[in-house]
Amino acid sequence: MKNPDGYGKQTRECGDTVEIFLKVSGENITSVSFNISGCVNTYACAKAVVSLIEGKKISEAWKINPEKIATYIKTLPPEEIHCAELAVEALRIALMNYREIAISPWKKIYRA
Ligand code: FES
């Protein structure tokens, strides 16, 4: 996604990485995309984040947690909950980035 309103990237010790990109209009998340480098469970969790927050309000996105992702996916093995944690961490970084840019729009220009 080009020029996202919010961007988050997180890597875990295992090496898996999730990036989340947000487009926001008013209080609504109008578009979400992701990039991952990692296992199939990480892919499923990042995709679940997109499904759970696209078209929703920012305040609802803050309520997403690993358990909600696991419930949504249904087949995530309990021992792989860390993949959902990774996706949620990337989402929260993207939400914080959105908040930061909303306060200081010039920061969007200088984001790498
Ligand atoms: Fe590392 Fe999924 S195996 S986050």
Side-chain angles (χ1 to χ4, degrees):
M1 178 187 290
K2 287 194 171 189
N3 206 19
D5 298 315
Y7 168 71
K9 179 179 180 181
Q10 182 69 314
T11 301
R12 280 189 90 94
E13 313 78 53
C14 62
D16 282 16
T17 297
V18 173
E19 293 177 283
I20 300 283
F21 305 83
L22 306 174
K23 280 280 188 194
V24 179
S25 177
E27 275 300 302
N28 295 314
I29 299 170
T30 55
S31 181
V32 188
S33 63
F34 70 96
N35 249 338
I36 76 133
S37 167
C39 70
V40 67
N41 291 315
T42 297
Y43 177 87
C45 292
K47 195 162 172 37
V49 165
V50 173
S51 301
L52 287 166
I53 70 168
E54 200 160 48
K56 301 279 171 48
K57 293 195 177 306
I58 290 282
S59 56
E60 293 175 75
W62 278 107
K63 295 176 187 165
I64 299 297
N65 59 31
E67 292 71 28
K68 285 183 181 171
I69 288 178
T71 300
Y72 181 81
I73 293 176
K74 294 189 176 104
T75 56
L76 184 68
E79 65 273 16
E80 303 297 337
I81 193 74
H82 60 277
C83 301
E85 290 168 357
L86 172 61
V88 169
E89 287 165 8
L91 168 62
R92 291 186 178 162
I93 292 168
L95 291 168
M96 285 188 287
N97 180 245
Y98 164 71
R99 184 188 287 167
E100 197 176 312
I101 285 173
I103 295 167
S104 306
W106 59 269
K107 288 185 178 179
K108 192 173 183 179
I109 298 166
Y110 296 100
R111 184 168 53 206

